[in-house]
Each structure stands twice: as C-alpha cells, then as structure tokens.
Amino acid sequence: EGNPLFIVETVRAGLPDEVHATPSGGFLCVPRPLPSRIQDALMARVDQLSPMARGLAELAATIGREFTFPVLMEASNTGEEQLIRGLDELWQHRVIREHGEEAYDFTHDKLREVIYQALSGARRRMLHRHVARALETVYADRLDAVAARLALHCERADEWELATTYYERAAMVAD
C-alpha cells in the first residue's frame, strides 16, 4: 500500500517460501511472516496509544479491516463520548481512517494484522465473542446479511454450535 519501508523490507526478506500451482494454471504464493523490522515499526506506533485507544484498536482489529461505529460501540460497552475520543486518537495516530460518517478502516492491513497477532488467545476469543454479540444486536433485523461474519466470529470465540448455525444460515442465503 505504498509504504517504502514495507517494500524494502519485504524485498530483503526474499521470495515466499512456498509457491503452489493452482488448478487454473496460475501460481499461489504463501507469503512469509512480516519481517521483524516492519513488525517493530508498526508496534512502535501502537505503543504510543493510550490504553483506551489501544483497546479499541484491538477490538477493531478483531472486527476486521473495515468496521462501523455502531458495531464498535456495541462490542466495546463504551460510552459514545469515550469511544469518539478513542477513535479520534486512532485517527490522529493514523491507525485508522474514516469512510463516511460511521465507517472506518485501518490505514494499512498489515497494521491491523500486527495488532491482532499481538493478542493472547484468550483475549482474542473474548473479543470475538463481544463482536459476535454486537453483530447480533446491531443487525438483529437482518442477520442473514451478516451470517457468514457471525459464523466466523463465533468459531473464533470457540462457540462451535452457534458458529455451525450461522454457517448453515449463510449457506442457505448464498443459494
């Protein structure tokens, strides 16, 4: 996404370890993990955040690259004013950017990945559980539209029965 450091460090890291032929005759490269220098640079940005903003960044990273204010607010159990303060801090540190009035995304997906990977397994499961409940609440009248996302969050929260239910629902909607 245009960051020269990413390009230089990725080239230094070399070609991917694995290249697989695809049935269509193309090739699929399995990328290496981010070089440590890039991870360190990204985490240095995250380390500058207040604990509240960092917690929001972790929650947003759990939601995915794109997220909305209503889902973040519901999942965070944070008051509107505090949530806006945290979002403003993330925006000022160029961790996120705005898309319209209620939508956001990370300025770089590698930044989101580094934040998410830094979470412990227990924290990830808890955050996925919060996101799943938030999606159920925010989209209560149109769950079919988010069934696949709900299934994924339930799966990552180790809520297997609920994940199966939502995967089945997503499959029926896809037909």
Side-chain angles (χ1 to χ4, degrees), residues 25-152:
F27 294 95
L28 173 67
C29 296
V30 179
R32 292 178 185 224
L34 276 178
S36 61
R37 193 164 167 190
I38 294 174
Q39 288 182 4
D40 292 345
L42 293 173
M43 283 310 294
R45 286 175 64 188
V46 175
D47 289 342
Q48 295 174 7
L49 299 172
S50 69
M52 190 243 331
R54 185 177 180 137
L56 280 179
E58 292 170 351
L59 180 57
T62 303
I63 294 170
R65 172 128 189 208
E66 297 176 357
F67 55 96
T68 63
F69 184 86
V71 172
L72 191 64
M73 185 165 174
E74 187 67 35
S76 70
N77 282 329
T78 302
E80 183 178 17
E81 189 173 320
Q82 187 176 5
L83 182 62
I84 290 171
R85 240 181 290 140
L87 288 170
D88 283 348
E89 183 178 341
L90 294 174
W91 176 77
Q92 289 165 353
H93 283 270
R94 297 197 179 11
V95 173
I96 63 168
R97 58 185 166 211
E98 294 179 303
H99 284 285
E101 291 184 25
E102 292 193 337
Y104 300 87
D105 75 350
F106 282 84
T107 55
H108 199 291
D109 197 49
K110 297 301 180 193
L111 179 57
R112 184 198 65 78
E113 286 177 24
V114 166
I115 293 168
Y116 184 76
Q117 292 303 321
L119 297 172
S120 69
R123 183 152 174 80
R124 273 189 212 157
R125 285 187 298 278
M126 179 195 70
L127 292 175
H128 280 291
R129 202 169 27 260
H130 287 293
V131 172
R133 296 305 153 270
L135 288 170
E136 287 174 327
T137 301
V138 172
Y139 294 95
D141 59 341
R142 54 192 191 280
L143 286 176
D144 288 347
V146 294
R149 286 174 55 199
L150 268 164
L152 179 68

